[in-house]
Amino acid sequence: MERIIRAALPHTPRRRRRTVAAVLTVATALAALPGAPAGAAARPGTRPVVTRAALDPQLVAGRGARVPFLEQEAENASTDGEVIGPDRNAYTLPSEASGRRAVRLDPGQHVEFTLPAAANAITVRYSIPDAPTGGGITAPLDVAVNGKRIRTMTLTSQYAWLYNQYPFSNDPDADLLHPDWWITECSCVPAATTPYPSIEKPFRPSHFYDEQRLLLGRTYRAGDRIRLTAPARTTAAWTVVDLLDSELVGPPRVRLLAANVLAFGADPTGARDSAPAIERAIAFARRTRLPVYLPPGTYQVNRHIVVDDVTIEGAGSWYTIVRGREVALPSPAPDGSVHTGVGFYGRDAADGGSRNVHLSGFAIEGDVRERIDTDQVNGIGGALSDSTIDGLHIRHTKVGVWLDGPMRNVRITNTMIVDQIADAVNFHTGVTDSLVAHTFVRNTGDDGLAMWSETTANARNRFDHNTVQSPVLANGIAIYGGTDTTVSNNLIADPVREGSAIQVGSRFGAEPFTGHLRITGNTTARAGTWELNWKIGLGAIWFYALDRSIDARIDVVGDAYLDNTYNAIMLVSEWAVKDLYSIGDVHFRDVRVDGTGTSVVSARTAGSASFENVDARHVGAVGVNNCGSFHFTPAGSEFALADLGGNDGGWLADWQLPNTITCDDRPPVVPPPPPSRW
């Protein structure tokens, strides 16, 4: 699939029991932001450029997940291929790439990285074309070190390339999934339009990337050269390389005093189903109070392993892999699932849930290639109180970790969740006193990290020191209702469409925000996407009142919003409820804004916010775009700003206070320069 369509997709419902909102306007394309010209590449022999989320690491020091690898962007390496991007338009290969740029290789071309430190393992993030009729292809990628080929990776696009309207299709030739929905392409409801509009196919391609890990077989030194070549024999018309992560992986962890699954008949070659053997080991371990040990190997598991009061340890996520197929059920399950697949699940909360579960040191690899929201095909699920998840690597499941409460005290740490069809982590319904920390997320099909207080409020949870990169749809971190929540020290970059780096939303039927919401010490980059429903640009942080007002105390302290596509900060109510709901009691302090395509603050709601020591530079439009609730009264906007002092950069001028109307509904975008040290 060589042609990428630039199109618009309404932000349709993400899960069951949601209604479809009509799209009101036609989306326009984003302006490509500045960067290296197409075809530009690093010269041979240049020193390695190590980044974090495609940024200078000093710009994000102390923020994001603690990870064992070093990231190098392909556009900074030596190549005879073509640098593509930058581009922030949805449905393009560069828009979903880290840093919005990547390298395209034709057959016979290469990209070469210089190792910045000793390494014996690499991760390659890449894209190759889909099959003409969907379903993906495979293609080789040669790996050479210092000019000597050592491995050939087999790349696949079987887990990439989604099309069409929510919940998407694997068929590039599919007709509209919902012809009775408003779509932006024709500014119409196709089923109610005569003549029926012509919709170009493939319609709205997305989710282009996948990644693959490779142990190199020995340790190579800093300065050694890793060359990735799309060989002349490749079956792919092109291969796009986004980045390379290099890592020095330690030896496998050995646990001698444990219920070793091999003793219970597990097959480490992956040829036979190991689920019964693992369950026998779990039963024995519970009787003897021993941990379960999964030695190095690949274990085939094609259904849920139910866990309660047990510790399961692997030899490390590079060595112990639990892998399974997605299996169609003979009839739908009571929860609506039509498939099952590999996963470790606590008991349902309605049955008392599970507790004292500890999972560590292995990988979970699923086989999910389509989005069916009723399916329980997540890496980890159920209710897990007083439990820990540490050092896992989860990919190709629907959601990495979806926890349904009520439940309490789960800690997810030092885990990688990549290439998901939907979220990476979701605390759903009455999850309390829980934590996600030092967890790395990349390439989700929905929110990266979410707390969703549906029916029962979540309380006293924290997302701390996590990295979320390139969510294809929706937000990096999303908080939907709840009590006394903290979002701190995270790094969020490159949301692609209809979302922000951080969203605070009264939506999806969530319980109200109460108590205190603290958003502290986070850094966002290249965030704030084009909202296709509204035909406006969002903010890097986005407060959204849809179901009710947001009136809990919210403190945003110490954040840095870098290279914002549109606004740094947006506060908005849905048009249909703008006279019913408001957003107030929001306080910004010690915040830095480095580059906005439009404004620092965009207010499209009634309410208020205060600002203290908020510094901004490279602002593309008026500092405060204050539309209020669009009544434009003689008394000014319905949204008021309080200047508490120390706001540098001239963005918050006296004449804008407290509620001067400065509304430009869709201001032109002025791309900012790349962020730099303050």
Side-chain angles (χ1 to χ4, degrees):
M1 188 87 41
E2 301 205 44
R3 177 170 45 83
I4 308 301
I5 298 173
R6 293 188 175 94
L9 173 67
H11 191 184
T12 47
R14 301 168 54 246
R15 304 176 183 97
R16 59 188 180 274
R17 299 192 304 275
R18 299 185 187 168
T19 58
V20 177
V23 181
L24 301 178
T25 53
V26 181
T28 56
L30 302 178
L33 297 191
R43 296 185 304 276
T46 55
R47 298 181 63 183
V49 178
V50 174
T51 55
R52 293 184 59 207
L55 294 167
D56 178 349
Q58 293 197 32
L59 294 177
V60 295
R63 312 225 169 151
R66 177 182 57 238
V67 295
F69 58 81
L70 295 174
E71 170 195 282
Q72 293 174 269
E73 295 285 338
E75 62 268 20
N76 297 327
S78 174
T79 183
D80 58 357
E82 176 191 4
V83 174
I84 58 172
D87 190 351
R88 303 192 194 189
N89 296 294
Y91 315 117
T92 69
L93 279 160
S95 72
E96 293 189 19
S98 172
R100 314 295 181 132
R101 292 193 295 165
V103 169
R104 171 182 162 135
L105 306 176
D106 290 333
Q109 293 183 323
H110 72 270
V111 58
E112 185 172 87
F113 302 84
T114 301
L115 287 177
N120 59 6
I122 59 173
T123 298
V124 179
R125 187 169 192 249
Y126 66 89
S127 179
I128 58 175
D130 197 3
T133 58
I137 64 171
T138 60
L141 183 72
D142 288 343
V143 181
V145 182
N146 299 330
K148 180 181 179 181
R149 190 173 80 184
I150 60 167
R151 296 282 191 277
T152 295
M153 303 174 74
T154 300
L155 309 183
T156 181
S157 54
Q158 294 167 333
Y159 299 98
W161 293 95
L162 298 177
Y163 307 92
N164 221 291
Q165 299 159 290
Y166 175 94
F168 318 117
S169 169
N170 299 112
D171 180 4
D173 198 44
D175 293 322
L176 292 178
L177 297 182
H178 305 285
D180 56 333
W181 290 3
W182 178 283
I183 64 171
T184 59
E185 284 75 12
C186 65
S187 297
C188 70
V189 176
T193 302
T194 303
Y196 193 88
S198 175
I199 305 300
E200 191 174 5
K201 299 177 185 179
F203 187 50
R204 300 174 177 168
S206 69
H207 213 271
F208 305 119
Y209 288 87
D210 202 353
E211 59 185 64
Q212 196 170 129
R213 303 193 297 172
L214 177 69
L215 287 167
L216 299 175
R218 53 159 285 192
T219 298
Y220 292 93
R221 300 172 298 177
D224 286 342
R225 304 182 314 281
I226 305 286
R227 176 173 288 200
L228 308 178
T229 301
R233 68 185 185 281
T234 182
T235 55
W238 48 261
T239 301
V240 169
V241 177
D242 181 23
L243 56 78
L244 179 106
D245 295 330
S246 57
E247 182 175 347
L248 186 61
V249 178
R253 181 172 61 190
V254 177
R255 171 72 80 165
L256 297 178
L257 187 61
N260 190 315
V261 297
L262 299 183
F264 296 86
D267 176 11
T269 71
R272 292 184 290 107
D273 183 4
S274 289
I278 294 173
E279 289 171 334
R280 289 192 293 269
I282 289 173
F284 178 83
R286 292 187 64 184
R287 292 195 303 270
T288 58
R289 310 313 301 166
L290 289 172
V292 173
Y293 177 59
L294 298 165
T298 297
Y299 301 89
Q300 182 189 146
V301 172
N302 304 312
R303 56 180 170 83
H304 299 168
I305 301 291
V306 177
V307 288
D308 186 17
D309 191 26
V310 67
T311 296
I312 302 176
E313 300 177 357
S317 71
W318 284 86
Y319 300 111
T320 300
I321 300 168
V322 182
R323 176 182 294 158
R325 300 186 306 274
E326 186 178 76
V327 178
L329 298 174
S331 60
D335 62 10
S337 293
V338 295
H339 296 92
T340 189
V342 60
F344 291 81
Y345 273 64
R347 296 188 298 156
D348 288 345
D351 297 327
S354 294
R355 64 172 299 277
N356 193 35
V357 174
H358 305 284
L359 308 175
S360 66
F362 57 91
I364 301 172
E365 295 192 0
D367 187 36
V368 179
R369 309 181 192 196
E370 60 187 343
R371 179 160 179 166
I372 302 174
D373 281 347
T374 55
D375 269 358
Q376 286 288 343
V377 286
N378 307 318
I380 297 173
L384 298 170
S385 291
D386 301 317
S387 298
T388 60
I389 297 164
D390 183 73
L392 300 193
H393 186 280
I394 306 174
R395 71 171 186 153
H396 295 161
T397 57
K398 186 182 78 174
V399 175
V401 183
W402 181 288
L403 298 177
D404 288 303
M407 53 163 283
R408 66 176 298 277
N409 188 31
V410 65
R411 299 174 65 88
I412 303 170
T413 54
N414 305 308
T415 287
M416 293 189 66
I417 305 175
V418 300
D419 301 329
Q420 300 295 302
I421 288 290
D423 305 6
V425 176
N426 197 306
F427 286 172
H428 177 231
T429 304
V431 178
T432 62
D433 302 298
S434 294
L435 168 73
V436 180
H438 292 290
T439 288
F440 183 90
V441 173
R442 187 161 57 201
N443 194 36
T444 56
D446 215 307
D447 294 328
L449 304 177
M451 301 185 198
W452 183 19
S453 293
E454 186 183 36
T455 307
T456 304
N458 297 328
R460 300 176 301 280
N461 298 316
R462 290 184 294 146
F463 288 159
D464 179 69
H465 279 99
N466 303 290
T467 298
V468 181
Q469 291 183 241
S470 302
V472 175
L473 176 69
N475 309 282
I477 293 178
I479 311 297
Y480 305 124
T483 299
D484 294 337
T485 300
T486 300
V487 176
S488 54
N489 306 305
N490 301 287
L491 170 59
I492 312 108
D494 296 314
V496 176
R497 72 178 194 269
E498 298 164 89
S500 297
I502 302 172
Q503 187 193 154
V504 176
S506 64
R507 59 190 308 200
F508 303 132
E511 294 298 298
F513 287 96
T514 58
H516 207 130
L517 173 58
R518 295 176 174 87
I519 301 172
T520 64
N522 304 284
T523 293
T524 74
R526 300 173 298 274
T529 65
W530 186 252
E531 218 306 319
L532 297 165
N533 294 349
W534 300 331
K535 199 177 176 183
I536 61 173
L538 300 177
I541 184 169
W542 172 27
F543 300 84
Y544 181 28
L546 174 60
D547 293 346
R548 55 173 54 88
S549 295
I550 300 175
D551 49 20
R553 169 85 185 196
I554 300 174
D555 283 293
V556 182
V557 180
D559 278 10
Y561 306 124
L562 310 180
D563 195 1
N564 304 281
T565 307
Y566 295 101
N567 312 284
I569 299 162
M570 171 169 273
L571 307 100
V572 61
S573 296
E574 177 70 37
W575 183 267
V577 297
K578 65 184 178 63
D579 297 327
L580 299 176
Y581 305 141
S582 63
I583 301 172
D585 208 9
V586 185
H587 307 275
F588 297 87
R589 188 173 77 250
D590 302 330
V591 170
R592 287 184 170 176
V593 176
D594 192 351
T596 68
T598 54
S599 299
V600 175
V601 176
S602 178
R604 305 170 70 93
T605 181
S608 64
S610 70
F611 301 86
E612 181 179 4
N613 297 329
V614 176
D615 299 345
R617 64 186 183 187
H618 308 307
V619 177
V622 62
V624 179
N625 190 11
N626 194 342
C627 297
S629 52
F630 288 89
H631 289 292
F632 307 124
T633 71
S637 168
E638 299 86 353
F639 190 86
L641 297 88
D643 182 353
L644 301 185
N647 299 299
D648 293 338
W651 69 274
L652 185 59
D654 290 342
W655 63 269
Q656 296 172 323
L657 301 170
N659 63 333
T660 303
I661 296 170
T662 57
C663 186
D664 185 346
D665 195 26
R666 294 170 181 85
V669 175
V670 179
S676 59
R677 300 177 199 177
W678 203 269

